[in-house]
Amino acid sequence: MSINEEFVEKAQEFYDYPLTLLNLIKWGVDTFPEQEVIYAPPDAPKLRLTFAQVWDRVRRLASALEQLGVKPGDPKRLGTRVGVLEWNSHRYLELYYAVPGLGATLHTVNIRYSPEDLVYTINHAGDEILFIKDEFMPLLQAILPKLKTIRKVVVMSDKPEPPQVKLPGIEVYEYEDLIKRSNPYEFGDVDERTVATLFYTSGTTGLPKGVFFTHRQLVLHAMGISISTAAPPYELTIKDVVMPLVPMYHVHAWGGPHAMFLTGQRYIYTGRMDWGYILKTISEEKVTYVFGVPVILYLLLTHPDSSKYDLKGLKYGNGGSAIPEGLYKLARSRGIIVINGYGLSETAPVIAQALFKTQSLNWPEDKKENFLMKGLRQIPLVFLRVVDDQGRDVPRDGKTIGELVVRAPWLTPAYYKDPGKTKDLWRGGWLHTGDVAVWDSDGYIWIMDRLKDVIKSGGEWIVSTRLEDIISTHPAVGEVAVIGVPHPQWGERPVAVVVPRPGKKITEDDIKNYLMKFVEKGEIPKWWVPDKVIISERELPKTSTAKADKKALRELYKNVLSS
């Protein structure tokens, strides 16, 4: 009898343990039952729940979902799609587990989308039930006639007496009422290859694209980041207090709601982002680790109340886009330890972080800081390559630019209902990130730019992020984006859009003269200096994930060099 035949014969005699999200939360509750989840919105009292209480609410919510008609899927088909429009909250955390726990699919709807993109993604996903924060009801009422599949709506509110809502042709329920009148659900196992989550990319190029992930993928992702954030320079332990400032609709809030039950840290969800209130909460709750995109760090550091708070020792996990050098230095001046991370919607998201090797611990401080700001190593179970347009590895010389490609056990297998774009994403059997990078002789990865943001000038590449780094170090610069603009002779030329810091004044010549200092030092070639610097008194336009919207900037300034 072969080993495989024996395995099949005895399959009914042992428990084939599935890697499911339910087993994450159940293990966390068994191990850290008294650890806290805190919901601290700016306009309502704080709510403190233990892990055990969260689990009880998850089970009651699952009973309610079953009564609402939620059906399980399997590895070959999606279960009922349940959409959510909500800020970061304990309710969102409960939905993260109750919906997939039933074998259904959680659609984390991007609340920053335009109404048109909201309609498109909800219809494309085929959501049947929508959980929605009460403040978004006017938006829902406006788009409801265009929603083809929504049959039931559950309203969530922080108010003691939630508003009474009526929607034509729609059954409407209230979240806390469902929790109170439901008994704890007795979960069974679901197949670990069942799709647990579905969401859509930020839609900066064309229509948003759907990505989806199975239970198995998300458990392995949670394990990978739990291991990596326990290592230097993160060194997070059960003693840490974590505040995610990345939205829970965005790429699983970078895995925090899953990893938290493995690491046992206290988590604080802040509802709508109010930066002064968040600074106050960081101080009151003794938060030690915050993670989000660069603009969030900028808003915390430049808020009028920021100087009132001692932020020394706070760790900030940066992702979404590279952190400008000027912002990094501003954070370090306040004693904040910024650590670079990297991922995509397509990668669940985390695949690399600024993790130290043994020899890295002995580096001089300036080299450590450069690595923390820009460097990357793959986290456990991830393999990265930097390749040319033929799929061949470029030299590990720290200079030759190629595209970063990846393999890991938690990458989206396809774009939802889009085989054409899927084929391009996975060409050659590696997921193509669309980011250009170099790698050095030690295997460290340095992201240079997005392929679509690299400026092609006279047959050569100009790395927009390098120019942004330098400009951001000018003491009067608050925000900066460098874009490629059509040029009749060179194809494209760089244009910088600069927003001054509050209370500061700056001119185009100030920026160009500042860049010339770096030209004289040999850090950039003279032809990289932007043809034009636009000083804007308005903040840069942002994508739905709070990145500078370079697509919008390119459209706005497409004729600036030809006029």
Side-chain angles (χ1 to χ4, degrees), residues 31-32 35 236-241 263-266:
T31 310
F32 313 107
Q35 187 56 286
L236 300 183
T237 73
I238 192 174
K239 296 179 182 179
D240 282 283
V241 181
T263 54
Q265 289 137 2
R266 177 186 298 175

Side-chain angles (χ1 to χ4, degrees), residues 50-69:
T50 65
F51 280 11
Q53 288 171 322
V54 170
W55 175 234
D56 179 70
R57 288 172 59 85
V58 166
R59 294 175 64 201
R60 293 175 186 276
L61 177 57
S63 289
L65 286 165
E66 188 177 60
Q67 290 298 312
L68 292 177

Side-chain angles (χ1 to χ4, degrees), residues 1 115 154 230 296 311 366 396 421 445 464 491 502 520 534 543 553:
M1 180 181 293
V154 179
I296 289 175
L311 301 177
D366 60 340
R396 295 191 180 201
K421 289 189 174 66
I445 301 287
S464 67
E520 292 161 6
I534 297 166
T543 68
L553 289 171

Side-chain angles (χ1 to χ4, degrees), residues 328-520:
Y328 180 89
K329 290 180 176 179
L330 178 61
R332 290 300 294 134
S333 73
R334 296 288 302 276
I336 298 173
I337 302 164
V338 180
I339 308 170
N340 187 34
Y342 174 78
L344 311 168
S345 295
E346 292 85 346
T347 63
V350 185
I351 53 175
Q353 294 169 321
L355 300 174
F356 288 141
K357 293 183 179 180
T358 304
Q359 63 266 35
S360 312
L361 299 174
N362 298 321
W363 283 349
E365 287 305 309
D366 60 340
K367 188 174 181 180
K368 281 185 182 178
E369 292 215 342
N370 187 47
F371 183 70
L372 287 172
M373 181 171 55
K374 299 292 182 184
L376 293 166
R377 286 180 59 212
Q378 63 262 38
I379 72 170
L381 302 180
V382 175
F383 294 93
L384 299 173
R385 296 169 61 212
V386 183
V387 301
D388 63 19
D389 56 7
Q390 300 299 312
R392 299 169 300 203
D393 291 344
V394 303
R396 295 191 180 201
D397 57 10
K399 296 183 292 185
T400 306
I401 294 176
E403 184 182 7
L404 187 66
V405 297
V406 57
R407 281 179 176 167
W410 52 76
L411 311 181
T412 190
Y415 287 124
Y416 188 51
K417 300 179 184 177
D418 197 335
K421 289 189 174 66
T422 296
K423 184 177 180 180
D424 185 58
L425 178 71
W426 277 103
R427 61 191 185 276
W430 290 74
L431 187 144
H432 286 248
T433 66
D435 286 313
V436 293
V438 300
W439 52 0
D440 61 25
S441 58
D442 293 318
Y444 295 122
I445 301 287
W446 306 82
I447 304 293
M448 305 303 289
D449 215 337
R450 291 291 290 167
L451 265 174
K452 63 176 184 260
D453 293 333
V454 171
I455 300 161
K456 292 88 174 176
S457 184
E460 301 289 340
W461 282 4
I462 298 174
V463 178
S464 67
T465 55
R466 179 60 184 138
L467 288 174
E468 290 165 354
D469 262 349
I470 294 172
I471 296 170
S472 74
T473 62
H474 190 290
V477 171
E479 292 185 278
V480 57
V482 175
I483 56 174
V485 170
H487 189 278
Q489 180 179 357
W490 302 110
E492 285 185 328
R493 288 295 297 154
V495 169
V497 185
V498 173
V499 179
R501 280 194 196 177
K504 300 287 187 179
K505 296 289 184 182
I506 199 168
T507 68
E508 179 175 11
D509 285 344
D510 290 336
I511 296 299
K512 288 187 174 181
N513 292 336
Y514 187 70
L515 284 167
M516 286 304 299
K517 296 178 182 178
F518 293 84
V519 172
E520 292 161 6

